[in-house]
Amino acid sequence: MPEPIDLALLVMRLVVAFFIVRHGVWKLGFAGGMGVDKTAAFFNATGYRPGRVFALVAAGTEIGAGLLLALGLLAPFAAAALRVRVS
């Protein structure tokens, strides 16, 4: 039988991963999101050029790291990638 703390950490990891993956998918234009063009325009407006590249990298990082976090694979690296992405 798993310990309560293990179940709590699993649930927390899955919830956080869900929102991170959804945010990445949103950047690509799925699930009612802005899409790559509007996300790229945002990155260009904030000084990150080329905006399209940054938009795709940000979305890919969020989706990839979120999936790794949900699966519990390389979780420290996934968390580090998300930390760098948010900075």
Side-chain angles (χ1 to χ4, degrees), residues 13 16-17 19-21 23-24 27 57-70 75-87:
R13 195 174 72 224
V16 169
F19 284 107
I20 291 169
V21 170
H23 194 254
K27 282 185 170 92
V57 168
T61 300
E62 289 175 358
I63 293 168
L67 291 175
L68 286 175
L69 192 61
F77 295 108
L82 291 170
R83 174 63 184 105
V84 169
R85 161 57 195 102
V86 172
S87 311

Side-chain angles (χ1 to χ4, degrees), residues 8-71:
L9 289 172
L10 173 65
V11 169
M12 183 178 69
R13 195 174 72 224
L14 291 175
V15 169
V16 169
F18 169 78
F19 284 107
I20 291 169
V21 170
R22 187 178 188 301
H23 194 254
V25 168
W26 184 77
K27 282 185 170 92
L28 295 177
F30 301 103
M34 293 186 348
V36 176
D37 293 333
K38 288 183 181 177
T39 305
F42 168 77
F43 277 110
N44 281 326
T46 56
Y48 292 99
R49 291 184 174 83
R52 186 169 183 80
V53 171
F54 278 99
L56 293 172
V57 168
T61 300
E62 289 175 358
I63 293 168
L67 291 175
L68 286 175
L69 192 61
L71 297 172

